[in-house]
Coordinates of all heavy atoms in Angstrom, one line a residue:
E1 N -31.6 4.1 3.2 CA -31.6 2.8 3.8 C -30.4 2.0 3.4 O -30.0 2.0 2.3 CB -32.9 2.0 3.5 CG -33.0 0.7 4.1 CD -34.3 0.0 3.8 OE1 -35.4 0.7 3.8 OE2 -34.3 -1.2 3.5
A2 N -29.7 1.4 4.4 CA -28.5 0.6 4.1 C -28.9 -0.7 3.4 O -30.1 -1.2 3.5 CB -27.8 0.3 5.4
G3 N -28.0 -1.3 2.7 CA -28.3 -2.6 2.0 C -27.1 -3.1 1.3 O -26.1 -2.4 1.2
A4 N -27.1 -4.3 0.7 CA -26.0 -4.8 0.0 C -26.5 -5.8 -1.1 O -27.6 -6.3 -1.0 CB -25.1 -5.6 1.0
F5 N -25.6 -6.0 -2.1 CA -25.8 -7.0 -3.1 C -24.4 -7.5 -3.6 O -23.4 -6.8 -3.4 CB -26.7 -6.5 -4.3 CG -26.1 -5.4 -5.1 CD1 -25.3 -5.7 -6.2 CD2 -26.3 -4.1 -4.7 CE1 -24.7 -4.6 -7.0 CE2 -25.7 -3.1 -5.4 CZ -24.9 -3.3 -6.6
T6 N -24.4 -8.7 -4.2 CA -23.2 -9.3 -4.6 C -23.2 -9.4 -6.2 O -24.2 -9.7 -6.8 CB -23.0 -10.7 -4.0 OG1 -23.0 -10.5 -2.5 CG2 -21.7 -11.4 -4.4
L7 N -22.0 -9.3 -6.8 CA -21.8 -9.4 -8.2 C -20.5 -10.0 -8.5 O -19.5 -9.8 -7.7 CB -22.1 -8.1 -8.9 CG -21.1 -7.0 -8.7 CD1 -20.1 -6.9 -9.8 CD2 -21.9 -5.7 -8.7
S8 N -20.3 -10.6 -9.7 CA -19.0 -11.1 -10.2 C -18.6 -10.1 -11.3 O -19.2 -10.1 -12.4 CB -19.1 -12.5 -10.7 OG -19.5 -13.4 -9.7
P9 N -17.6 -9.2 -11.0 CA -17.3 -8.2 -12.0 C -16.5 -8.9 -13.2 O -15.7 -9.7 -13.0 CB -16.4 -7.3 -11.3 CG -15.8 -8.1 -10.2 CD -16.8 -9.1 -9.8
A10 N -16.9 -8.4 -14.4 CA -16.2 -8.9 -15.7 C -15.3 -7.8 -16.2 O -14.2 -8.0 -16.7 CB -17.2 -9.4 -16.7
D11 N -15.8 -6.6 -16.2 CA -15.1 -5.4 -16.7 C -15.7 -4.1 -16.2 O -16.7 -4.2 -15.5 CB -15.2 -5.4 -18.2 CG -14.0 -4.8 -18.9 OD1 -13.1 -4.1 -18.2 OD2 -13.9 -4.8 -20.1
Y12 N -15.1 -3.0 -16.5 CA -15.6 -1.7 -16.0 C -15.2 -0.6 -17.0 O -14.2 -0.8 -17.8 CB -15.2 -1.4 -14.6 CG -13.8 -1.0 -14.5 CD1 -13.4 0.4 -14.6 CD2 -12.7 -1.9 -14.4 CE1 -12.1 0.7 -14.5 CE2 -11.4 -1.6 -14.4 CZ -11.1 -0.2 -14.4 OH -9.8 0.2 -14.4
A13 N -15.8 0.5 -16.9 CA -15.4 1.7 -17.6 C -15.6 2.9 -16.7 O -16.5 2.9 -15.9 CB -16.2 1.9 -18.9
I14 N -14.7 3.9 -16.7 CA -14.9 5.1 -16.0 C -15.3 6.2 -17.1 O -14.7 6.3 -18.1 CB -13.6 5.6 -15.4 CG1 -13.0 4.6 -14.4 CG2 -13.7 7.0 -14.7 CD1 -13.9 4.4 -13.1
V15 N -16.4 6.8 -16.8 CA -17.0 7.8 -17.7 C -17.0 9.2 -17.0 O -17.4 9.3 -15.9 CB -18.4 7.4 -18.1 CG1 -19.0 8.4 -19.1 CG2 -18.4 6.0 -18.7
E16 N -16.6 10.2 -17.7 CA -16.6 11.5 -17.2 C -18.0 12.1 -17.6 O -18.4 12.1 -18.8 CB -15.5 12.4 -17.7 CG -15.5 13.8 -17.1 CD -14.3 14.6 -17.5 OE1 -13.2 14.4 -17.0 OE2 -14.5 15.4 -18.4
R17 N -18.7 12.6 -16.6 CA -20.0 13.2 -16.8 C -20.0 14.7 -16.4 O -19.2 15.1 -15.6 CB -21.1 12.5 -16.0 CG -21.2 11.0 -16.3 CD -22.1 10.7 -17.5 NE -23.3 11.5 -17.6 CZ -24.5 11.0 -17.4 NH1 -24.7 9.8 -17.1 NH2 -25.5 11.8 -17.5
S18 N -20.9 15.4 -16.9 CA -21.1 16.8 -16.4 C -22.5 16.9 -15.9 O -23.5 16.3 -16.5 CB -20.8 17.8 -17.5 OG -21.7 17.7 -18.6
D19 N -22.7 17.7 -14.9 CA -24.0 17.9 -14.3 C -24.8 18.9 -15.2 O -24.3 19.6 -16.1 CB -24.0 18.3 -12.8 CG -23.3 19.6 -12.6 OD1 -23.2 20.5 -13.5 OD2 -22.9 19.8 -11.4
D20 N -26.1 19.1 -14.9 CA -26.9 20.0 -15.6 C -26.9 21.4 -15.2 O -27.7 22.2 -15.7 CB -28.4 19.4 -15.6 CG -28.5 18.1 -16.3 OD1 -27.6 17.9 -17.2 OD2 -29.4 17.3 -16.0
S21 N -26.1 21.7 -14.2 CA -26.0 23.1 -13.7 C -25.3 24.0 -14.7 O -24.7 23.6 -15.6 CB -25.3 23.2 -12.3 OG -23.9 22.9 -12.5
E22 N -25.5 25.3 -14.4 CA -24.8 26.3 -15.3 C -23.3 26.2 -15.2 O -22.6 26.4 -16.2 CB -25.3 27.7 -14.9 CG -26.7 28.0 -15.2 CD -27.1 29.4 -14.9 OE1 -26.2 30.3 -14.7 OE2 -28.3 29.7 -14.7
E23 N -22.8 25.7 -14.1 CA -21.3 25.6 -14.0 C -20.8 24.4 -14.8 O -19.7 24.4 -15.1 CB -20.9 25.4 -12.5 CG -21.2 26.6 -11.6 CD -22.7 26.7 -11.2 OE1 -23.3 25.6 -11.0 OE2 -23.2 27.8 -11.0
G24 N -21.7 23.4 -15.0 CA -21.3 22.2 -15.8 C -20.2 21.5 -15.2 O -19.3 21.0 -15.9
E25 N -20.2 21.3 -13.9 CA -19.1 20.6 -13.2 C -19.1 19.2 -13.7 O -20.1 18.5 -13.9 CB -19.3 20.6 -11.7 CG -19.1 22.0 -11.1 CD -19.3 22.0 -9.6 OE1 -18.9 21.0 -8.9 OE2 -19.7 23.1 -9.1
T26 N -17.9 18.6 -13.8 CA -17.7 17.2 -14.2 C -17.4 16.3 -13.0 O -16.9 16.8 -12.0 CB -16.6 17.1 -15.3 OG1 -15.4 17.5 -14.7 CG2 -16.9 17.9 -16.5
Y27 N -17.7 15.1 -13.2 CA -17.5 14.1 -12.2 C -17.3 12.7 -12.9 O -17.8 12.6 -14.0 CB -18.5 14.0 -11.1 CG -19.9 13.7 -11.6 CD1 -20.4 12.5 -11.6 CD2 -20.7 14.8 -12.2 CE1 -21.7 12.2 -12.1 CE2 -22.0 14.5 -12.7 CZ -22.5 13.2 -12.6 OH -23.7 13.0 -13.1
N28 N -16.7 11.8 -12.2 CA -16.5 10.4 -12.8 C -17.6 9.5 -12.3 O -18.1 9.6 -11.2 CB -15.2 9.8 -12.4 CG -14.0 10.5 -13.1 OD1 -14.2 11.0 -14.2 ND2 -12.9 10.5 -12.4
M29 N -18.0 8.6 -13.2 CA -19.0 7.6 -12.9 C -18.3 6.3 -13.3 O -17.5 6.2 -14.3 CB -20.3 7.7 -13.7 CG -21.1 8.9 -13.2 SD -22.8 8.7 -13.9 CE -23.4 7.3 -13.0
I30 N -18.6 5.2 -12.6 CA -18.1 3.9 -13.0 C -19.3 3.1 -13.5 O -20.4 3.2 -13.1 CB -17.5 3.2 -11.8 CG1 -16.7 1.9 -12.3 CG2 -18.4 2.9 -10.7 CD1 -15.8 1.3 -11.3
V31 N -19.0 2.4 -14.6 CA -20.0 1.4 -15.2 C -19.4 0.0 -15.0 O -18.3 -0.2 -15.5 CB -20.3 1.7 -16.7 CG1 -21.3 0.7 -17.2 CG2 -20.7 3.1 -16.9
I32 N -20.0 -0.8 -14.2 CA -19.5 -2.1 -14.0 C -20.3 -3.1 -14.8 O -21.5 -3.2 -14.7 CB -19.5 -2.5 -12.5 CG1 -18.7 -1.5 -11.7 CG2 -19.0 -3.9 -12.2 CD1 -18.9 -1.6 -10.2
L33 N -19.6 -4.0 -15.5 CA -20.2 -5.1 -16.3 C -20.0 -6.3 -15.4 O -18.9 -6.7 -15.1 CB -19.6 -5.3 -17.6 CG -20.0 -6.5 -18.4 CD1 -21.5 -6.5 -18.7 CD2 -19.2 -6.7 -19.7
A34 N -21.1 -6.9 -15.0 CA -21.1 -8.2 -14.2 C -21.0 -9.4 -15.2 O -21.3 -9.3 -16.3 CB -22.3 -8.3 -13.3
A35 N -20.5 -10.5 -14.6 CA -20.3 -11.7 -15.4 C -21.7 -12.2 -16.0 O -21.7 -12.8 -17.0 CB -19.7 -12.8 -14.6
D36 N -22.8 -11.9 -15.3 CA -24.1 -12.3 -15.8 C -24.7 -11.3 -16.9 O -25.8 -11.5 -17.3 CB -25.1 -12.5 -14.7 CG -25.4 -11.1 -13.9 OD1 -24.9 -10.1 -14.3 OD2 -26.1 -11.2 -12.9
G37 N -23.9 -10.3 -17.3 CA -24.4 -9.4 -18.3 C -25.0 -8.1 -17.8 O -25.4 -7.2 -18.6
E38 N -25.3 -8.1 -16.5 CA -25.9 -6.9 -15.9 C -24.9 -5.7 -15.8 O -23.7 -6.0 -15.7 CB -26.5 -7.2 -14.5 CG -27.6 -8.1 -14.5 CD -28.9 -7.5 -15.1 OE1 -29.1 -6.3 -14.8 OE2 -29.7 -8.2 -15.7
F39 N -25.4 -4.5 -15.9 CA -24.6 -3.3 -15.8 C -25.0 -2.6 -14.5 O -26.2 -2.5 -14.2 CB -24.8 -2.3 -17.0 CG -24.1 -2.8 -18.2 CD1 -24.8 -3.5 -19.2 CD2 -22.8 -2.5 -18.5 CE1 -24.2 -4.0 -20.3 CE2 -22.2 -2.9 -19.6 CZ -22.9 -3.6 -20.6
Y40 N -24.0 -2.0 -13.8 CA -24.2 -1.2 -12.6 C -23.5 0.1 -12.8 O -22.3 0.1 -13.2 CB -23.8 -2.0 -11.4 CG -24.4 -3.3 -11.2 CD1 -23.9 -4.5 -11.7 CD2 -25.6 -3.4 -10.4 CE1 -24.6 -5.7 -11.6 CE2 -26.2 -4.6 -10.2 CZ -25.7 -5.8 -10.8 OH -26.4 -7.0 -10.7
T41 N -24.1 1.2 -12.4 CA -23.4 2.5 -12.5 C -23.5 3.2 -11.1 O -24.4 3.0 -10.4 CB -24.1 3.4 -13.6 OG1 -25.4 3.6 -13.2 CG2 -24.0 2.7 -14.9
S42 N -22.4 4.0 -10.9 CA -22.4 4.8 -9.7 C -21.4 6.0 -9.9 O -20.4 5.8 -10.6 CB -21.9 4.0 -8.5 OG -21.8 4.8 -7.4
G43 N -21.7 7.1 -9.2 CA -20.8 8.2 -9.2 C -20.1 8.3 -7.8 O -19.5 9.3 -7.5
S44 N -20.3 7.3 -7.0 CA -19.7 7.3 -5.6 C -18.2 7.2 -5.7 O -17.7 6.1 -6.1 CB -20.4 6.2 -4.8 OG -19.6 6.0 -3.6
S45 N -17.5 8.2 -5.2 CA -16.0 8.1 -5.2 C -15.5 7.0 -4.3 O -14.5 6.3 -4.7 CB -15.4 9.4 -4.9 OG -15.8 9.8 -3.6
S46 N -16.2 6.7 -3.2 CA -15.7 5.6 -2.3 C -15.9 4.3 -3.0 O -15.1 3.4 -2.9 CB -16.4 5.7 -1.0 OG -17.8 5.6 -1.2
L47 N -17.0 4.1 -3.8 CA -17.2 2.8 -4.5 C -16.2 2.7 -5.6 O -15.6 1.6 -5.8 CB -18.6 2.7 -5.1 CG -18.9 1.5 -5.9 CD1 -18.8 0.2 -5.1 CD2 -20.2 1.6 -6.6
I48 N -15.9 3.8 -6.4 CA -15.0 3.7 -7.4 C -13.6 3.3 -6.9 O -12.9 2.4 -7.4 CB -14.9 5.0 -8.2 CG1 -16.2 5.3 -8.9 CG2 -13.7 5.1 -9.2 CD1 -16.4 6.7 -9.5
E49 N -13.2 4.0 -5.8 CA -11.9 3.7 -5.3 C -11.7 2.2 -4.8 O -10.8 1.5 -5.1 CB -11.6 4.6 -4.1 CG -10.2 4.5 -3.5 CD -10.0 5.5 -2.4 OE1 -10.6 6.6 -2.4 OE2 -9.2 5.1 -1.5
S50 N -12.7 1.8 -4.0 CA -12.6 0.4 -3.5 C -12.8 -0.6 -4.6 O -12.1 -1.6 -4.6 CB -13.7 0.2 -2.4 OG -15.0 0.4 -2.8
F51 N -13.6 -0.4 -5.6 CA -13.8 -1.3 -6.7 C -12.5 -1.4 -7.5 O -12.0 -2.5 -7.8 CB -14.9 -0.9 -7.7 CG -15.0 -1.8 -8.9 CD1 -15.7 -3.0 -8.8 CD2 -14.4 -1.5 -10.0 CE1 -15.8 -3.8 -9.9 CE2 -14.4 -2.4 -11.1 CZ -15.2 -3.5 -11.0
L52 N -11.9 -0.3 -7.8 CA -10.6 -0.3 -8.6 C -9.5 -1.0 -7.9 O -8.7 -1.8 -8.5 CB -10.2 1.1 -9.0 CG -11.1 1.8 -10.0 CD1 -10.6 3.3 -10.2 CD2 -11.2 1.1 -11.3
T53 N -9.4 -0.9 -6.6 CA -8.4 -1.6 -5.8 C -8.6 -3.1 -5.9 O -7.6 -3.8 -6.2 CB -8.5 -1.1 -4.3 OG1 -8.2 0.3 -4.2 CG2 -7.5 -1.9 -3.5
I54 N -9.8 -3.5 -5.7 CA -10.1 -5.0 -5.8 C -9.9 -5.5 -7.3 O -9.2 -6.5 -7.5 CB -11.5 -5.3 -5.4 CG1 -11.7 -5.0 -3.9 CG2 -11.9 -6.7 -5.7 CD1 -13.1 -5.0 -3.4
F55 N -10.4 -4.8 -8.2 CA -10.4 -5.2 -9.6 C -8.9 -5.3 -10.1 O -8.5 -6.3 -10.7 CB -11.2 -4.3 -10.5 CG -11.4 -4.9 -11.9 CD1 -12.4 -5.7 -12.2 CD2 -10.5 -4.6 -12.9 CE1 -12.6 -6.2 -13.5 CE2 -10.6 -5.1 -14.2 CZ -11.7 -5.9 -14.5
N56 N -8.1 -4.3 -9.8 CA -6.7 -4.3 -10.2 C -5.9 -5.4 -9.5 O -4.9 -5.9 -10.1 CB -6.1 -2.9 -10.1 CG -6.7 -2.0 -11.1 OD1 -7.0 -2.3 -12.2 ND2 -6.8 -0.7 -10.7
T57 N -6.2 -5.7 -8.3 CA -5.6 -6.7 -7.5 C -5.9 -8.1 -8.1 O -5.0 -9.0 -8.2 CB -5.9 -6.7 -6.0 OG1 -5.6 -5.4 -5.5 CG2 -5.3 -7.8 -5.3
M58 N -7.1 -8.3 -8.5 CA -7.6 -9.6 -8.9 C -7.5 -9.9 -10.4 O -7.7 -11.0 -10.9 CB -9.0 -9.8 -8.5 CG -9.2 -9.8 -7.0 SD -8.3 -11.1 -6.1 CE -9.1 -12.5 -6.7
K59 N -7.2 -8.9 -11.2 CA -7.3 -9.0 -12.7 C -6.5 -10.1 -13.3 O -6.8 -10.7 -14.3 CB -7.1 -7.7 -13.4 CG -5.7 -7.2 -13.3 CD -5.5 -5.8 -14.0 CE -4.1 -5.3 -13.8 NZ -4.0 -4.0 -14.3
D60 N -5.3 -10.4 -12.7 CA -4.4 -11.5 -13.2 C -4.7 -12.8 -12.6 O -4.0 -13.8 -12.9 CB -3.0 -11.0 -13.1 CG -2.7 -9.8 -13.9 OD1 -3.2 -9.6 -15.0 OD2 -1.8 -9.0 -13.4
E61 N -5.6 -12.9 -11.7 CA -5.9 -14.2 -11.0 C -6.9 -15.0 -11.9 O -7.7 -14.5 -12.6 CB -6.6 -13.9 -9.7 CG -5.7 -13.2 -8.7 CD -4.5 -13.9 -8.3 OE1 -4.5 -15.2 -8.1 OE2 -3.4 -13.3 -8.2
D62 N -6.7 -16.3 -11.9 CA -7.6 -17.2 -12.7 C -8.8 -17.6 -11.9 O -9.8 -18.0 -12.5 CB -6.8 -18.5 -13.0 CG -5.7 -18.2 -14.0 OD1 -5.8 -17.3 -14.8 OD2 -4.7 -19.0 -14.0
E63 N -8.8 -17.4 -10.6 CA -10.0 -17.8 -9.8 C -11.1 -16.8 -10.0 O -10.9 -15.6 -9.9 CB -9.6 -17.8 -8.3 CG -8.6 -18.9 -8.0 CD -9.3 -20.3 -8.0 OE1 -10.4 -20.4 -7.6 OE2 -8.6 -21.2 -8.5
P64 N -12.3 -17.2 -10.2 CA -13.5 -16.3 -10.2 C -13.7 -15.7 -8.8 O -13.3 -16.3 -7.8 CB -14.7 -17.1 -10.6 CG -14.3 -18.5 -10.3 CD -12.8 -18.6 -10.4
Y65 N -14.2 -14.5 -8.7 CA -14.4 -13.9 -7.4 C -15.7 -13.0 -7.5 O -16.2 -12.7 -8.5 CB -13.2 -13.1 -6.9 CG -13.0 -11.8 -7.8 CD1 -13.4 -10.6 -7.4 CD2 -12.3 -11.9 -9.0 CE1 -13.2 -9.5 -8.2 CE2 -12.1 -10.8 -9.8 CZ -12.5 -9.6 -9.4 OH -12.3 -8.5 -10.2
E66 N -16.2 -12.7 -6.3 CA -17.4 -11.8 -6.2 C -17.1 -10.7 -5.3 O -16.2 -10.8 -4.4 CB -18.6 -12.6 -5.7 CG -19.1 -13.7 -6.6 CD -20.3 -14.4 -6.0 OE1 -20.4 -14.5 -4.8 OE2 -21.2 -14.7 -6.8
I67 N -17.8 -9.6 -5.5 CA -17.7 -8.4 -4.6 C -19.1 -8.2 -4.1 O -20.1 -8.4 -4.7 CB -17.1 -7.2 -5.3 CG1 -18.0 -6.7 -6.4 CG2 -15.7 -7.4 -5.7 CD1 -17.6 -5.3 -7.0
T68 N -19.1 -7.6 -2.9 CA -20.3 -7.2 -2.2 C -20.3 -5.7 -2.3 O -19.4 -5.1 -1.8 CB -20.5 -7.7 -0.8 OG1 -20.5 -9.1 -0.8 CG2 -21.7 -7.2 -0.1
V69 N -21.3 -5.1 -2.8 CA -21.5 -3.6 -2.8 C -22.5 -3.3 -1.7 O -23.5 -3.9 -1.6 CB -22.1 -3.1 -4.2 CG1 -22.3 -1.6 -4.2 CG2 -21.1 -3.5 -5.3
E70 N -22.0 -2.4 -0.9 CA -22.8 -2.0 0.3 C -23.1 -0.5 0.3 O -22.3 0.3 0.0 CB -22.1 -2.4 1.6 CG -21.8 -3.8 1.8 CD -21.0 -4.1 3.0 OE1 -21.7 -4.2 4.1 OE2 -19.8 -4.2 2.9
R71 N -24.3 -0.2 0.8 CA -24.8 1.1 1.0 C -24.8 1.3 2.5 O -25.6 0.6 3.2 CB -26.2 1.4 0.5 CG -26.6 2.8 0.6 CD -28.0 3.0 -0.2 NE -28.3 4.3 -0.2 CZ -29.4 4.8 0.5 NH1 -30.1 4.0 1.2 NH2 -29.7 6.1 0.4
K72 N -23.9 2.2 3.0 CA -23.7 2.3 4.5 C -24.1 3.8 4.9 O -23.8 4.7 4.1 CB -22.3 2.0 4.9 CG -21.9 0.6 4.6 CD -20.5 0.4 5.1 CE -20.0 -1.0 5.0 NZ -18.7 -1.3 5.4
E73 N -24.6 3.9 6.1 CA -24.9 5.2 6.6 C -23.6 5.8 7.2 O -22.8 5.2 7.8 CB -25.9 5.2 7.7 CG -26.3 6.6 8.2 CD -27.5 6.6 9.1 OE1 -28.0 5.5 9.5 OE2 -28.0 7.6 9.4
S74 N -23.3 7.1 6.9 CA -22.2 7.8 7.3 C -22.2 8.0 8.8 O -23.3 8.3 9.4 CB -22.1 9.2 6.7 OG -21.1 10.0 7.2
K75 N -21.1 7.7 9.5 CA -21.0 7.9 10.9 C -20.9 9.4 11.3 O -21.4 9.9 12.3 CB -19.8 7.2 11.5 CG -20.0 5.7 11.4 CD -18.8 4.9 11.9 CE -19.0 3.4 11.7 NZ -17.8 2.7 11.9
K76 N -20.3 10.2 10.4 CA -20.0 11.6 10.6 C -21.2 12.4 10.2 O -21.4 13.5 10.7 CB -18.8 12.1 9.8 CG -17.5 11.5 10.4 CD -16.3 12.0 9.6 CE -15.0 11.4 10.1 NZ -13.9 11.9 9.4
R77 N -22.0 11.9 9.2 CA -23.2 12.7 8.7 C -24.4 11.8 8.8 O -24.8 11.2 7.7 CB -22.9 13.2 7.3 CG -21.7 14.1 7.2 CD -21.2 14.4 5.8 NE -22.3 14.9 5.0 CZ -22.3 15.0 3.7 NH1 -21.2 14.5 3.1 NH2 -23.3 15.4 3.0
P78 N -25.1 11.7 9.9 CA -26.3 10.8 10.0 C -27.3 11.2 9.0 O -27.5 12.4 8.7 CB -26.8 11.1 11.4 CG -25.5 11.6 12.2 CD -24.7 12.3 11.2
G79 N -27.9 10.2 8.4 CA -28.9 10.4 7.4 C -28.3 10.4 6.0 O -29.0 10.4 5.0
K80 N -27.0 10.4 5.9 CA -26.3 10.4 4.6 C -25.7 9.0 4.4 O -25.2 8.4 5.3 CB -25.2 11.5 4.5 CG -25.7 12.9 4.7 CD -26.5 13.3 3.5 CE -26.9 14.8 3.6 NZ -27.7 15.2 2.5
Y81 N -25.7 8.6 3.1 CA -25.2 7.3 2.8 C -24.1 7.3 1.8 O -24.0 8.3 1.0 CB -26.3 6.4 2.3 CG -27.4 6.1 3.3 CD1 -28.4 7.0 3.5 CD2 -27.3 4.9 4.0 CE1 -29.4 6.7 4.5 CE2 -28.3 4.7 5.0 CZ -29.3 5.6 5.2 OH -30.3 5.3 6.2
Y82 N -23.2 6.3 1.8 CA -22.2 6.2 0.8 C -22.1 4.7 0.4 O -22.6 3.8 1.0 CB -20.8 6.7 1.3 CG -20.3 5.8 2.4 CD1 -19.3 4.8 2.2 CD2 -20.7 5.9 3.8 CE1 -18.8 4.0 3.2 CE2 -20.2 5.2 4.8 CZ -19.2 4.2 4.5 OH -18.7 3.4 5.5
L83 N -21.5 4.5 -0.8 CA -21.3 3.1 -1.3 C -19.9 2.7 -1.2 O -19.0 3.5 -1.4 CB -21.7 3.1 -2.8 CG -23.2 3.3 -3.1 CD1 -23.4 3.4 -4.6 CD2 -24.1 2.3 -2.5
T84 N -19.7 1.4 -0.9 CA -18.3 0.9 -0.9 C -18.5 -0.6 -1.3 O -19.6 -1.1 -1.4 CB -17.7 1.0 0.5 OG1 -16.3 0.6 0.3 CG2 -18.4 0.2 1.5
C85 N -17.4 -1.3 -1.6 CA -17.4 -2.7 -1.9 C -16.3 -3.4 -1.3 O -15.2 -2.8 -0.9 CB -17.5 -2.9 -3.4 SG -16.0 -2.5 -4.3
S86 N -16.4 -4.7 -1.1 CA -15.4 -5.6 -0.6 C -15.5 -6.9 -1.3 O -16.5 -7.3 -1.9 CB -15.6 -5.8 0.9 OG -16.9 -6.3 1.2
I87 N -14.3 -7.6 -1.3 CA -14.3 -9.0 -1.9 C -14.9 -10.0 -1.0 O -14.8 -9.9 0.2 CB -12.8 -9.3 -2.3 CG1 -12.8 -10.5 -3.2 CG2 -12.0 -9.6 -1.0 CD1 -11.5 -10.7 -4.0
V88 N -15.7 -10.9 -1.6 CA -16.4 -11.9 -0.8 C -15.4 -13.1 -0.5 O -14.7 -13.5 -1.4 CB -17.6 -12.5 -1.6 CG1 -18.3 -13.6 -0.8 CG2 -18.6 -11.3 -1.8

């Protein structure tokens, strides 16, 4: 199901994880610390890419800002969802 929420990012970390399969493939996860102290995590490459673009653009700005994280249905793969974010 599609949906969205808004947060004010304070910081983030990229963590390399490995899955539990025999191959032990690794993937990146993002841990986002919001200004209110909440943590959000995701392994979505589209979310990581869009978040880093916004965060790195805004990091030297003095103005507070918020991002909206959205879960959208794929147009190419019906029934599959991906995460992305945009500045509010």
Side-chain angles (χ1 to χ4, degrees):
E1 183 177 315
F5 64 93
T6 301
L7 64 96
S8 296
D11 208 351
Y12 74 93
I14 302 292
V15 180
E16 187 175 278
R17 300 281 314 252
S18 61
D19 64 20
D20 294 333
S21 70
E22 289 182 20
E23 294 83 29
E25 293 183 31
T26 61
Y27 59 96
N28 287 331
M29 289 195 68
I30 191 166
V31 180
I32 301 170
L33 171 62
D36 65 3
E38 291 291 322
F39 286 93
Y40 301 88
T41 62
S42 176
S44 167
S45 59
S46 58
L47 176 65
I48 293 170
E49 182 179 333
S50 56
F51 177 85
L52 292 178
T53 297
I54 294 168
F55 191 89
N56 290 327
T57 300
M58 298 299 294
K59 68 182 177 185
D60 296 326
E61 299 295 322
D62 292 332
E63 294 289 320
Y65 66 97
E66 293 183 325
I67 62 170
T68 297
V69 177
E70 297 179 83
R71 185 174 186 249
K72 297 181 176 181
E73 187 169 8
S74 172
K75 292 177 184 169
K76 293 181 180 179
R77 298 172 53 199
K80 299 291 182 179
Y81 293 86
Y82 67 97
L83 295 173
T84 189
C85 66
S86 57
I87 195 163
V88 176

